[in-house]
Amino acid sequence: MPIATLREVLKNTRENHFAVGAFDTMDHAFTEGILAAAEETQTPVILAAGDFPGPDYSNFLPYLVDRISRTSVPVCLHFDHGGSFEACARAIRAGFSSVMIDGSALSFSENIALTKRVVEMAHACHVDVEGEVGHVGANAGSVESRRDDSWYTEPEAAAEFFEKTSVDALAVAIGTAHGVYKEAPKIDFERLRAIRSRVSVPLVMHGASGLSDEDFHRAVENGMCKINAFTNLTLAVTSRIADDMPSLISPLQMSHEISLKMTAYSKQEVLRHIRLFETEKIHERSRA
Ligand code: CO
Ligand code: CO
């Protein structure tokens, strides 16, 4: 299928109360696991690659773009946490179909001005944009946030931000944080409902690792349309591979087997998240 935009993969999420997962990928084995899960469930998926230290994108991106074109479900290639106008422009040139401009560490008016510029540039290239209002903070070890402290999204600020920027998706802060939690997060669902009632744009949840199954259900039920999953996914996959290590003996077997296991385990984890996000509700439309 041709690469999908963020708007395309998030279509009907709000109305039908389901979310689409954005899964960060840094290598071939992980990517194959994510796409295998999406194809098995025939659900759209967002492959995310971040504006932070990671793989050598000059080699990795052509593979992603080609691989997506040979996938049987809609796949959006999303640039996560773009830190500047220039970074987003580079991502668009490299083939991303969606970019996040993260101006959440700036003042409210500077965030609006920067996001608006990125939206104008991206929309001219038929690329969609995610913005962030309020600030999703960071737990120790996170590479995604420019500031550790978090502040909640005010519903009125979300409405004004959307009105002035015309973003295609909006990340909001309701009590989650990036990285590994020391104690379970407390999610402000009342605030989520208040934001939801004021803006029609698909809402995005960052820092979702560590939420309970019930939290996910309530988040989706109350309007989260895109949920980013990274920490949980990599932790689960790497710990299972670590458990397998003693049984892998020859060096030749090692690299091949580890790669296959990464794909198999990441597929299982992504399938679990697809169920948590209730993404398969997308099929209910066609049955109705
Ligand atoms: Co994030
Ligand atoms: Co329900």
Side-chain angles (χ1 to χ4, degrees), residues 14 80 141:
R14 186 170 63 93
D80 202 13

Side-chain angles (χ1 to χ4, degrees), residues 46-251:
I46 298 158
L47 278 183
D51 187 14
F52 35 76
D56 177 356
Y57 287 130
S58 60
N59 291 320
F60 191 47
L61 277 172
Y63 152 72
L64 284 178
V65 171
D66 172 64
R67 185 61 187 82
I68 289 170
S69 74
R70 292 181 287 108
T71 306
S72 68
V73 291
V75 183
C76 168
L77 184 57
H78 177 76
F79 185 59
D80 202 13
H81 288 282
S84 65
F85 179 91
E86 292 72 22
C88 290
R90 278 196 298 277
I92 291 169
R93 272 200 299 274
F96 283 88
S97 61
S98 169
V99 295
M100 177 187 188
I101 176 68
D102 181 357
S104 62
L106 303 172
S107 72
F108 184 60
S109 58
E110 288 168 336
N111 187 6
I112 286 177
L114 173 62
T115 304
K116 200 168 176 311
R117 278 181 67 213
V118 171
V119 168
E120 284 164 2
M121 181 255 304
H123 283 181
C125 308
H126 306 287
V127 165
D128 290 342
V129 179
E130 174 185 335
E132 178 170 329
V133 64
H135 180 67
V136 178
N139 294 303
S142 167
V143 291
E144 292 168 287
S145 291
R146 281 161 188 82
R147 295 174 71 142
D148 290 346
D149 52 333
S150 74
W151 57 89
Y152 288 95
T153 303
E154 296 302 336
E156 287 311 325
E160 187 183 340
F161 187 88
F162 175 52
E163 195 180 303
K164 290 188 170 160
T165 61
S166 303
V167 286
D168 305 286
L170 184 60
V172 293
I174 58 164
T176 58
H178 290 106
V180 182
Y181 290 92
K182 284 195 197 71
E183 49 193 69
K186 289 231 182 329
I187 314 299
D188 188 349
F189 290 107
E190 199 57 49
R191 183 179 298 271
L192 175 57
R193 278 190 289 277
I195 297 168
R196 173 76 299 157
S197 69
R198 282 171 178 77
V199 290
S200 57
V201 66
L203 299 179
V204 182
M205 184 179 233
H206 287 248
S209 295
L211 267 63
S212 67
D213 289 7
E214 179 56 24
D215 282 341
F216 276 118
H217 179 67
R218 291 180 71 190
V220 169
E221 198 72 15
N222 288 294
M224 284 300 184
C225 301
K226 168 178 178 271
I227 301 179
N228 292 15
F230 177 56
T231 305
N232 253 3
L233 207 67
T234 46
L235 284 180
V237 172
T238 48
S239 84
R240 289 184 68 180
I241 295 210
D243 289 346
D244 288 338
M245 286 300 259
S247 63
L248 297 165
I249 325 139
S250 82

